[in-house]
Amino acid sequence: MLEKEIERVLFSADEIRARVRELAAEIRYRLGDGELVAVGVLTGAFVFLADLVRELGGEVRIVLVRASSYRDGTRPGEISVEIPGETDFEGGDILLVEDIVDTGQSLKALKHTLLERRPGSLTTVALLDKPDRRRVEITADVTGFTVPDEFLVGYGLDYAGLYRNLPDVCVLARCVYEDHA
Ligand code: 5GP
Ligand code: MG
């Protein structure tokens, strides 16, 4: 049963909805009412991206990118970023949309890769921020919630591919990942 694997709800769907509305207002205040390119990071940001772009309103293009860490162990902390071939960011106002900033390595690599494409501006937003785990000194320009160093699932975040469809952000029970370890 999925319910047994959840230790507690950290942010309910209602709390998230209210915060996403505030984040959208803050982003529009910073960037104005013009066209934006919302760049969502697969897969975890897909739920946040979907809610955020509907709160942003106006003209929004959507681009989905993927950030993966090299797993061969030869380049520790290195992240590869895949951007769809036809994408043109030049001169545009980019809004990078992340689920969570943990060590900060993904955000750093994503910013670096996007800036190489010469956008007009780059703003970053993360729903969640886990500062205790940071290894690279970086924060998103706009952050939804600061969270403790626990393993979170729901609202796009997974464990072993599951739980992304939970409407709340939850703390996963330790027994789940200890069982599977
Ligand atoms: P970073 O490069 O900042 O260490 O990692 C960011 C990525 O790690 C996030 O985009 C997310 O995919 C994953 N991540 C970090 N913390 C958590 C967590 O608590 N739960 C889940 N499901 N993924 C996490
Ligand atoms: Mg991510």
Side-chain angles (χ1 to χ4, degrees), residues 41-45 67 98-100 106 110 157:
V41 185
L42 290 169
T43 302
E98 256 287 30
D99 48 4
I100 181 165
S106 306
L110 285 156
L157 293 170

Side-chain angles (χ1 to χ4, degrees), residues 58-148:
E59 291 182 309
V60 180
R61 295 178 194 274
I62 314 279
V63 175
L64 298 171
V65 301
R66 188 176 292 280
S68 358
S69 44
Y70 291 101
R71 296 190 191 283
D72 59 13
T74 57
R75 288 165 288 188
E78 261 194 65
I79 309 278
S80 77
V81 178
E82 288 168 62
I83 299 176
E86 73 282 8
T87 312
D88 180 9
F89 291 125
E90 198 157 333
D93 286 321
I94 298 189
L95 177 68
L96 177 67
V97 182
E98 256 287 30
D99 48 4
I100 181 165
V101 181
D102 188 36
T103 65
Q105 281 159 340
S106 306
L107 183 62
K108 184 184 173 191
L110 285 156
K111 279 182 82 168
H112 179 84
T113 303
L114 292 174
L115 287 170
E116 282 178 343
R117 304 289 188 106
R118 305 193 173 286
S121 71
L122 173 60
T123 303
T124 59
V125 57
L127 181 70
L128 305 170
D129 184 18
K130 208 190 268 184
D132 294 348
R133 295 248 313 160
R134 203 69 98 248
R135 280 200 248 153
V136 179
E137 207 180 306
I138 198 167
T139 45
D141 299 311
V142 179
T143 295
F145 302 98
T146 301
V147 299

Side-chain angles (χ1 to χ4, degrees), residues 44-63:
F46 84 106
V47 177
F48 178 41
L49 178 74
D51 285 347
L52 184 67
V53 294
R54 284 178 290 177
E55 292 293 342
L56 284 169
E59 291 182 309
V60 180
R61 295 178 194 274
I62 314 279
V63 175

